[in-house]
């Protein structure tokens, strides 16, 4: 009877250590980074989602609201934003032509992207879960959820 408890205790310890690691990497928050922090940020976390934005674009602000919710909900992924005007090297390198653009990184490699509101139902009225579902399909989220979930 002690073995399952030990296993449960080890699982709890492993979960706690993972949570502490994620917290130390900035998971759970939606932060702005600068171009010099980009490589370090996308390679430090296994999963990272980067919003390339323009400060005057209304649709970028809509993504900000949803990404803030996603950052709090999906602790296994690092969520950041980067001002595209101040990051010309990576905008060029990643061939970003349209803003807003969200790029999903897994182990430092770009594995998916969300360009504008393409493929999101309801125009400007899409849900955070719909957006997150695109990230999940690209392998950018660790946690399970449904595309109809509210968060």
């Amino acid at each position: 009877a002690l073995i399952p408890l030990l296993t449960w205790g080890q699982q709890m310890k492993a979960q706690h250590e993972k949570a502490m690691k994620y917290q130390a990497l900035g998971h759970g928050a939606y932060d702005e980074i600068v171009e010099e922090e980009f490589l370090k940020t996308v390679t430090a976390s296994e999963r990272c989602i980067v919003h390339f934005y323009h400060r005057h674009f209304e649709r970028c602000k809509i993504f900000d609201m949803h990404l803030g919710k996603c950052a709090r909900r999906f602790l296994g992924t690092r969520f950041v934003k980067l001002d595209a005007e101040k990051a010309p090297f990576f905008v060029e390198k990643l061939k970003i032509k349209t803003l807003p653009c969200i790029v999903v990184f897994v182990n430092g490699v770009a594995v998916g992207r969300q360009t504008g509101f393409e493929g999101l139902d309801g125009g400007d009225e899409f849900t955070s879960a719909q957006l997150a579902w695109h990230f999940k399909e690209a392998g950018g989220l660790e946690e399970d959820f449904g595309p109809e979930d509210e968060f």
Side-chain angles (χ1 to χ4, degrees):
L2 286 177
I3 293 169
L5 281 178
L6 195 76
T7 307
W8 181 82
Q10 287 170 329
Q11 282 178 326
M12 293 305 290
K13 184 175 187 249
Q15 280 181 316
H16 178 73
E17 285 170 359
K18 188 195 247 185
M20 295 305 286
K21 178 185 145 200
Y22 285 161
Q23 193 175 14
L25 289 168
H27 291 224
Y30 177 52
D31 299 312
E32 179 146 10
I33 60 168
V34 294
E35 190 169 52
E36 295 73 36
E37 298 169 304
F38 178 81
L39 283 177
K40 182 180 64 142
T41 302
V42 300
T43 56
S45 297
E46 185 180 338
R47 288 165 301 280
C48 185
I49 291 176
V50 182
H51 175 204
F52 288 85
Y53 78 97
H54 187 286
R55 58 196 162 91
H56 295 305
F57 289 8
E58 204 52 47
R59 286 190 157 188
C60 293
K61 293 178 180 122
I62 293 171
F63 269 152
D64 282 342
M65 187 256 312
H66 290 293
L67 292 169
K69 289 181 184 178
C70 287
R72 291 186 295 277
R73 169 77 164 72
F74 301 107
L75 298 180
T77 302
R78 177 82 165 105
F79 287 84
V80 296
K81 66 181 187 172
L82 181 60
D83 186 335
E85 286 186 308
K86 296 179 181 172
F89 179 79
F90 291 108
V91 166
E92 174 78 21
K93 194 104 177 112
L94 294 164
K95 297 177 174 46
I96 293 169
K97 306 272 185 240
T98 305
L99 296 177
C101 182
I102 300 171
V103 182
V104 179
F105 292 89
V106 175
N107 295 318
V109 177
V111 295
R113 70 173 57 201
Q114 175 67 46
T115 304
F117 290 4
E118 208 174 276
L120 296 169
D121 297 335
D124 292 4
E125 301 299 312
F126 64 89
T127 66
S128 298
Q130 286 175 319
L131 180 60
W133 194 254
H134 285 263
F135 304 151
K136 179 77 172 170
E137 287 181 325
L141 298 176
E142 177 180 47
E143 297 85 353
D144 285 325
F145 71 101
E148 305 301 317
D149 287 7
E150 301 240 345
F151 46 86

